[in-house]
Amino acid sequence: MDYEAFFRERLDALRAEGRYRVFADLERRCGGFPRAYDHRIGAEVTVWCSNDYLGMGQHPAVLAAMEDALRAAGAGAGGTRNISGNSHLHLLLERELADLHGREAALIFTSGYVANDATLSTLGRELPGIVVFSDASNHASMIAGIRNSRAEKHIFRHNDPVHLARLLDRVADRPKLVCFESVYSMDGDIAPIGELCDVADRFGAMTYLDEVHAVGLYGARGGGIAERDGVMHRPTVIQGTLGKAFGTIGGYIAGSAAVVDFLRSHAPGFIFTTSLPPAIAAGARASIRHLKASQVERDRHQERAATLKRRLTEAGLPVMPSASHIVPVVIGDPSLCKGASDELLHRHRIYVQPINYPTVPRGTERLRLTPTPLHSDADIEALVASLGDVWSRLALRRAA
C-alpha cells in the first residue's frame, strides 16, 4: 500500500468538500483579550469564538496563583498521580471541585475529553452487563468513551425524556447508565436535566451529566445548569472542564466517594498519564474560588450574549434560537462557511472559526459566536456590521 498517497488523497477529499481544517496562528496577549495577534495576516484581530468564556485566562487572581505555584513547585508535576505526581495543589483543587458540585469527592484529568473518555469507558467496561443510553447530540468525547467501553448502547432522541423512557423500558434487570450534556455546544440548547433524571431513576439507571459548557457560567456559585435549576444533587456523576469558563486546562468528574475512588483505581486514562502541572491546578482553583463568590462575570456574560442575539436579529442575520450563551449563525454550506470566516478575517480583522461536518450535521454549517464579558458595545456593532458586509458579498441567505 502507498501509505503517503492514501493520506494525501484523504486530505484532498477534505479540501474538495470545503472541510479541511485550517488552524489559526494566534498569539494571545495577556490583558488584551478578546484581542489577539494573528501571525497569518500580521495584524491584531478580535476573537469571537473563544471558549475562555469569561476571560478568566487573564484574571489577576488566576495569574498570581499560577506564578506563585510555578516559583514554589516548578514547571511539571513530575509523574503520574500514582508515582510522585500527586501534589497538595491537586488535592486542594479536587476538594474545591467537590464543594462546587456539593459532592463527596472529585477527580481531575488532563482534559475534559480525557475525563469523559476515561470515565465512560471504565464504567461501561467494568460494570457487568451494563447498557448505556446516550443522547443523540452528545460530544465526541462521550461517544468515544462509550464506544471504547464496548458496552451495549442505545441512542435516545436529543433532549427527549419520553424516548429515553421507551428505550429503558426494553431493558430489564441490567445495570443502566444514561449520558447527556447540560448545554450543547453547537446549538446552545439546554437539557431538561430534572426530567431525564426522573426517567433514569424510574428505571434504576445511573446518570452522567457533562457540564463543560456550563460550569462557571450558570448557578449561584458557577456549579452549572444543574445548580441553576436546583437539581445538582440528581446526577450520579457530574463532569466538567477547567479549560473553558475557568480559563486554564483540565477536566474532572465529581460524585460519591465510592464512585470517584473506583475511577481513580480503575480508569487507565487517569492512572497512566502525567498529572497536570501544579501551577495549572493552582490557577484553576483560584478561578473556581473567585467565580464561586463573584456574580459580576456571569451577569455581564449573559447580558452580552442577549445583546448580541438581539443585534444580529435586528440586522436580519440567521441567528439560531439559543437558550444559552452560545450564538450560532447558520450558513449551511462548508465552502461558504469557510469563505465567510476568511472574509471576516482578511477584510474586518475578526476571527471566527467555521464549524463544519462532522462537528455539526451537513447542511447546518455555521459560525459559532461566543460573546464574553470583555466584548464591548463597539465590538458587537463592528461584528454585526462586518457580518452584514460578508453576507452581502457572498450572497448568503438571511433570516426569513
Side-chain angles (χ1 to χ4, degrees):
M1 182 179 185
D2 187 337
Y3 301 110
E4 291 297 312
F6 172 82
F7 299 144
R8 287 192 296 268
E9 287 170 7
R10 291 293 292 269
L11 290 170
D12 288 343
L14 287 176
R15 291 188 182 95
E17 198 176 335
R19 294 196 297 115
Y20 181 74
R21 295 174 187 261
V22 178
F23 287 180
D25 188 358
L26 293 176
E27 182 181 335
R28 279 164 61 101
R29 292 178 171 175
C30 190
F33 186 74
R35 311 284 182 259
Y37 187 81
D38 193 316
H39 286 269
R40 296 172 297 175
I41 62 172
E44 184 179 80
V45 297
T46 302
V47 178
W48 274 100
C49 56
S50 175
N51 282 343
D52 187 0
Y53 289 133
L54 300 178
M56 292 301 293
Q58 65 174 20
H59 193 280
V62 175
L63 300 181
M66 293 185 72
E67 183 177 356
D68 290 348
L70 181 64
R71 296 195 180 281
T80 66
R81 294 286 294 277
N82 188 50
I83 305 175
S84 82
N86 192 51
S87 78
H88 185 57
L89 288 168
H90 293 116
L91 299 177
L92 290 176
L93 174 57
E94 287 173 341
R95 291 171 195 164
E96 203 70 56
L97 289 164
D99 175 77
L100 176 66
H101 293 290
R103 297 307 171 96
E104 294 177 334
L107 193 68
I108 55 174
F109 296 80
T110 50
S111 74
Y113 190 108
V114 173
N116 272 335
D117 188 8
T119 301
L120 291 172
S121 63
T122 300
L123 291 174
R125 183 181 64 250
E126 297 293 335
L127 282 162
I130 193 168
V131 182
V132 181
F133 299 82
S134 177
D135 187 286
S137 294
N138 275 343
H139 188 263
S141 58
M142 300 176 76
I143 295 169
I146 294 166
R147 283 178 176 167
N148 290 338
S149 76
R150 299 185 179 180
E152 180 182 334
K153 66 179 184 295
H154 299 277
I155 311 301
F156 63 93
R157 287 193 292 269
H158 179 51
N159 281 348
D160 189 339
V162 174
H163 188 228
L164 172 62
R166 193 176 306 134
L167 294 177
L168 284 164
D169 193 39
R170 298 173 185 170
V171 179
D173 301 324
R174 291 175 64 181
K176 307 170 194 70
L177 175 63
V178 177
C179 307
F180 54 98
E181 302 179 40
S182 60
V183 175
Y184 287 84
S185 64
M186 290 300 125
D187 288 354
D189 56 332
I190 294 177
I193 298 172
E195 293 178 58
L196 292 170
C197 287
D198 287 343
V199 172
D201 289 350
R202 194 161 81 240
F203 291 93
M206 296 190 302
T207 44
Y208 183 95
L209 174 64
D210 177 320
E211 286 258 39
V212 296
H213 292 277
V215 288
L217 304 175
Y218 298 89
R221 299 197 310 156
I225 295 294
E227 183 188 30
R228 185 198 72 175
D229 292 352
V231 293
M232 194 164 62
H233 61 290
R234 300 291 303 279
T236 311
V237 176
I238 295 176
Q239 183 265 357
T241 184
L242 307 172
K244 294 182 170 61
F246 295 131
T248 58
I249 189 172
Y252 66 90
I253 56 101
S256 69
V259 72
V260 169
D261 200 17
F262 173 82
L263 291 164
R264 182 188 69 88
S265 303
H266 289 85
F270 171 80
I271 296 169
F272 297 106
T273 191
T274 301
S275 56
L276 289 172
I280 295 292
R285 179 170 179 254
S287 183
I288 295 163
R289 288 171 67 86
H290 174 82
L291 290 172
K292 281 180 178 178
S294 175
Q295 191 68 27
V296 173
E297 292 83 1
R298 282 189 285 277
D299 289 344
R300 171 73 171 172
H301 185 231
Q302 289 297 312
E303 183 275 324
R304 293 286 81 187
T307 298
L308 178 60
K309 291 175 187 177
R310 175 177 57 79
R311 289 294 296 115
L312 291 170
T313 301
E314 290 170 351
L317 292 162
V319 59
M320 287 178 59
S322 163
S324 71
H325 58 283
I326 294 164
V327 185
V329 181
V330 177
I331 294 176
D333 176 271
S335 296
L336 289 174
C337 194
K338 184 180 184 307
S341 174
D342 290 344
E343 288 278 313
L344 285 168
L345 179 67
H346 292 286
R347 289 186 176 276
H348 301 285
R349 303 293 189 258
I350 289 172
Y351 173 58
V352 184
Q353 185 70 8
I355 305 294
N356 294 327
Y357 176 85
T359 306
V360 295
R362 297 180 195 274
T364 70
E365 292 82 3
R366 68 198 63 181
L367 301 177
R368 175 184 177 271
L369 306 175
T370 54
T372 74
L374 300 173
H375 284 97
S376 66
D377 287 341
D379 291 331
I380 291 176
E381 292 307 314
L383 173 65
V384 173
S386 299
L387 285 168
D389 175 65
V390 169
W391 248 247
S392 296
R393 284 182 176 275
L394 299 182
L396 298 175
R397 184 180 68 250
R398 288 184 175 265

